Amino acid sequence: MSTRTTGPLGIAVIGAGYWGPNLVRNFGASPDWSLELVCDLDLERARRIAGPHVEVTDSVDRVLDDPRIDAVAIATPARTHHGLALQALSAGKHVLVEKPLADSVVRGRTMVDLADAQGLTLMTDHTYCYTPAVQKMRELVSSGELGQVHFVDSVRINLGLVQPDIDVLWDLAPHDLAILDFVLPGGLPTTGIGATGADPIGAGRACVGHLTLPLPDDGLAHVHVNWLSPTKIRQMVIGGSRRTLVWDDLNPQQRLSIYDRGVDLARTSVAGADRAASTVSYRLGDTWSPALPEREALGSMVTEFAAAIHEGRPALTDGRSGLRVLEVLEAASRRLAERAETAYDTALPVPAGPPPVPRQAGSTSEPVMEGAR
């Protein structure tokens, strides 16, 4: 490994499909990077996004053998991330991987372990974590501005493309899980995961999904994802003991709102049935919106990748953050499979016997259920 200590780092982008052009554009514009190569099996496509001054190739070996290349960015299908990342790490290259980190926890863990053994930076491209709104959310939570986090409600729904090989949880929830891992103190919880899913259109996989994750002190996080909604919503509510934050990604004029409103439970010695009514009070304070800078999230992400390499530290969204997201997704898949296996066993029994006899007009007595005695 020969990462240069001064000047721009050499980067190659592997994959010129959906996400590759965005990476090429941002690495090419960054003063921290020198874009040297774009690699794709379709050389014409690679040339179109690389421009006239960047070399293209269809050989990964050509990329990994090039001494100018300090790092590679992988923007290929998830099933290929593991193999490509291991090749690059074994060749002494730092690695940025488009989300998800891998297609299984086992493969993701081998990537993290090899990066550690080689002393290399492995970073997951959780792009949302580099948006000004989400970075402000992290700041507000970590500073204690919201207090103790009591609940999170996250909704990501729209009339989306039904994927042929993954369900809606694997398709949409990684965005919300990555944000929670970035924002919550201690990162994403990976145990105690609950999941439900439904396939009302017969697609063969869940098209509507719900995740629940435990938070400290009996808090709860909930993630709702849906391919079938005619309305598009991208919203997260983080409720704390002091204030509540609302992120609306589809409202560019007011992406973040902070509400000084909530419920307070006073600790008094009142006893008996009136205890709850006498000790609960409602706080109705101001609402405000913090000013957010205008910058592209991917530009911040490529800057963080270079900084992590130069400083020899984990990136803000390192391989372990990608691994935690995979652990939650796999736990959710197990919950869905368990529910499918026990669906008929756990169905509520249907009461036998005739329906209740309806109340007669003018009667003050209770309806009679035949067979109830």
Side-chain angles (χ1 to χ4, degrees), residues 351-357 366-373:
V357 176
E366 293 296 320
V368 176
M369 174 81 78
E370 291 191 17
R373 296 181 182 177

Side-chain angles (χ1 to χ4, degrees), residues 5 7 20 30 45 67 103 111 134 139 149 161-162 165 174 198 215 229 244 253 255 276 279 293 296 315 322 349 359:
T5 56
S30 172
R45 182 167 61 185
D103 58 355
M111 294 159 64
V134 174
E139 176 189 322
V149 176
L161 177 66
V162 176
D165 54 349
L215 299 178
S229 171
T244 294
Q253 283 75 42
R255 293 195 193 276
T279 59
E296 185 173 2
R359 185 192 302 269

Side-chain angles (χ1 to χ4, degrees), residues 156-160 208 224 226-233 250:
R156 184 175 298 270
I157 66 175
N158 61 276
L159 200 60
V208 180
H224 171 205
N226 186 344
W227 280 330
L228 308 181
S229 171
T231 57
K232 184 174 185 178
I233 301 174
L250 301 183

Side-chain angles (χ1 to χ4, degrees), residues 34 52 62 90 92 96 116 121 127-128 162 164 193 244 268 272 291 306 338 340 345-346 361:
S34 175
R62 164 74 183 84
S90 298
L96 170 74
D116 287 348
T121 297
T127 310
Y128 267 108
V162 176
I193 309 301
T244 294
T268 69
E338 291 165 2
D345 295 334
T346 58

